[in-house]
Amino acid sequence: IRRSRIRNSGNKYALRKISIAFQLAIGILVTFCIIVMMKQIYFLTNVDLGWERKNIASINLLYPDNDFEAIADKIRQFSCTREVVTGHCCLLPKSSGFSQTFDNWDGKEDATKSIDMLCLWNCEKTVSFYNLKLLEGEIVKPTETNSIMINESAVKALGMSDPIGKKLYQKGRTWTIVGIIKDFHITAPTEPVQPYTLVAVDILKDIGFSLGKGQILIKFHDGKWKELRNRIDSIFSREYPEVRYRLYNTAEEYAGYLKSEDALIKLLSFVAMVCVLIAAFGIFSLITLSCEQRRKEIAVRKVNGATIRNILIMFIKEYILLLIIAAVIAFPIGYVLMKRWLENYIEQTTINAWIYLVIAGGIAIIIFACIGWRVWQAARQNPAEVIKSE
């Protein structure tokens, strides 16, 4: 009967260990996923996306626009502004969906169809204001009405290996490529960069169409967004109450693309905290039960010369093994899941080795704390009294 009880007790103890290993694996998996997601969002927020978007604002949809330049001049005088420009050149929010269609170009294969590319005009102003990166060639000058720049995605779409100097053909017009611009990401980070052309001439005026006087683009000093917003609102309410306008913070507009990821991280952070706490309480309860069941073993080891340090190491080895088993299960699964998730983004962060070390080290510290507290209490008991009570 005694052997049967010992066997049943051992089975229950083994099941508890399996349960703790499973809880640890879930906690490690969720924590790993959250850290990678946070790293990706931080990466997207701070990485060079090919254009300057921090501390930039734009005023859009001015109507009526009779005082357009007067309003821009007053904003230039603010102490919180660094630069103010006007024109059809707002990147985000996108001010126009105008595109150019090219039926033919140098080096085009016969089977290739025509290509549509989004177009930015007043490009010298656009390139300078948003700090677009010129990779090759030169910027189109305002007087060069038949010169054109294209971005990297346009080069790929055209299938050109050496695009500078080559021609693009439209009905009634020939463009000469003079510069290549680095791709700039102004759409959601899950969407590929579209082919773009940049020209000096106002294309809309060429075709007899006008969108008004455009936008007022503002660069402001770091930390001065609230002041700028309040001063602009004050000017319109006091001096131009009849004008309808919308003020945008470019960085906030881009951050709007990441709202779903932010919400997911908040949810998973709570889940990860719960999983880690459950695992910690499970480890603590298992160690407590183990210490109670092995009081006599601990006492005999002390009588035979074992120190508290020896007993602590014995328990630590046992539970670190559970951590290793859980990590071996959780980390590969987490890596596969996160690699697939990252593939949704054009720009991707890397899954560094420090992520594995931080998670494993953090959980190891929790295990050491639980073991240290309970085993220290059990090991300090008088072995003679323990043996008598047993």
Side-chain angles (χ1 to χ4, degrees):
I1 293 173
R2 182 174 178 80
R3 287 181 180 176
S4 176
R5 287 178 178 175
I6 292 173
R7 190 181 300 112
N8 290 335
S9 176
N11 290 338
K12 289 181 180 178
Y13 189 63
L15 288 173
R16 288 192 182 97
K17 282 190 174 183
I18 293 172
S19 174
I20 294 300
F22 179 74
Q23 291 172 17
L24 280 173
I26 296 297
I28 290 172
L29 176 61
V30 177
T31 305
F32 178 82
C33 293
I34 288 172
I35 290 177
V36 174
M37 287 180 177
M38 292 179 69
K39 191 169 181 288
Q40 173 67 8
I41 290 177
Y42 179 82
F43 176 79
L44 291 174
T45 304
N46 296 278
V47 71
D48 179 14
L49 296 179
W51 63 294
E52 186 178 344
R53 63 191 184 280
K54 292 183 179 179
N55 296 332
I56 287 181
S58 63
I59 301 176
N60 203 5
L61 301 179
L62 289 172
Y63 181 83
D65 58 6
N66 299 330
D67 298 306
F68 184 85
E69 292 297 337
I71 293 171
D73 286 337
K74 291 185 178 182
I75 295 174
R76 284 189 185 96
Q77 297 172 17
F78 292 168
S79 60
C80 56
T81 59
R82 294 190 291 122
E83 182 182 356
V84 176
V85 299
T86 58
H88 302 280
C89 48
C90 183
L91 291 187
L92 190 67
K94 191 161 57 174
S95 59
S96 174
F98 180 77
S99 64
Q100 291 179 287
T101 301
F102 299 99
D103 302 313
N104 197 9
W105 56 89
D106 290 347
K108 178 187 175 185
E109 297 180 1
D110 294 336
T112 306
K113 297 180 180 179
S114 60
I115 292 179
D116 291 333
M117 299 188 195
L118 292 173
C119 178
L120 294 175
W121 55 96
N122 294 337
C123 66
E124 188 176 41
K125 189 184 296 184
T126 304
V127 170
S128 173
F129 184 84
Y130 286 107
N131 196 24
L132 301 182
K133 305 297 188 299
L134 181 67
L135 299 179
E136 187 179 350
E138 59 184 22
I139 297 174
V140 175
K141 296 177 177 59
T143 56
E144 297 175 342
T145 56
N146 289 316
S147 296
I148 195 169
M149 295 189 297
I150 59 177
N151 67 346
E152 294 173 286
S153 293
V155 174
K156 293 177 183 177
L158 294 169
M160 291 183 176
S161 57
D162 187 16
I164 299 298
K166 292 185 178 178
K167 310 286 187 183
L168 302 177
Y169 303 99
Q170 283 182 298
K171 293 179 180 178
R173 193 162 203 163
T174 300
W175 300 90
T176 301
I177 300 173
V178 297
I180 307 300
I181 295 291
K182 177 182 172 63
D183 277 346
F184 44 94
H185 300 257
I186 59 174
T187 55
T190 55
E191 298 179 12
V193 178
Q194 294 178 296
Y196 264 92
T197 63
L198 296 90
V199 297
V201 64
D202 190 336
I203 295 294
L204 295 181
K205 288 182 180 178
D206 271 15
I207 62 176
F209 184 78
S210 177
L211 289 176
K213 295 181 180 179
Q215 296 79 41
I216 298 175
L217 304 183
I218 308 162
K219 284 186 179 180
F220 55 90
H221 293 290
D222 192 34
K224 296 295 184 179
W225 164 241
K226 288 185 179 180
E227 179 185 343
L228 175 67
R229 182 179 59 193
N230 292 337
R231 296 193 67 175
I232 289 175
D233 289 341
S234 176
I235 279 184
F236 278 102
S237 62
R238 287 187 293 103
E239 302 181 35
Y240 306 99
E242 75 285 357
V243 176
R244 298 294 176 262
Y245 73 100
R246 296 189 68 179
L247 176 63
Y248 298 95
N249 183 317
T250 302
E252 290 179 357
E253 291 297 311
Y254 182 78
Y257 291 141
L258 306 175
K259 283 183 178 179
S260 60
E261 284 80 2
D262 287 334
L264 182 60
I265 282 180
K266 289 177 182 178
L267 174 62
L268 290 180
S269 297
F270 176 76
V271 172
M273 190 180 300
V274 171
C275 289
V276 171
L277 286 175
I278 290 174
F281 282 123
I283 291 169
F284 186 78
S285 62
L286 185 62
I287 292 170
T288 300
L289 178 63
S290 178
C291 288
E292 288 298 320
Q293 291 177 339
R294 299 169 68 176
R295 290 176 66 214
K296 187 174 181 180
E297 177 189 343
I298 293 171
V300 171
R301 286 180 180 273
K302 287 191 68 177
V303 169
N304 289 328
T307 63
I308 294 177
R309 180 173 176 274
N310 298 138
I311 297 170
L312 282 171
I313 291 174
M314 177 185 69
F315 275 84
I316 286 172
K317 286 181 179 179
E318 184 176 333
Y319 290 98
I320 287 298
L321 179 61
L322 291 180
L323 174 59
I324 292 172
I325 293 171
V328 168
I329 296 171
F331 282 138
I333 295 175
Y335 180 83
V336 171
L337 291 176
M338 286 297 96
K339 284 298 287 184
R340 290 185 178 178
W341 181 74
L342 288 172
E343 287 172 0
N344 294 319
Y345 297 90
I346 305 302
E347 299 287 341
Q348 301 175 12
T349 188
T350 55
I351 302 178
N352 305 101
W354 66 261
I355 299 176
Y356 303 96
L357 297 176
V358 166
I359 295 173
I363 296 179
I365 289 172
I366 294 174
I367 292 174
F368 292 159
C370 295
I371 291 174
W373 173 251
R374 292 304 301 166
V375 176
W376 178 272
Q377 287 185 324
R380 289 186 63 193
Q381 292 179 339
N382 189 324
E385 293 180 3
V386 172
I387 292 173
K388 283 180 182 179
S389 64
E390 291 289 335

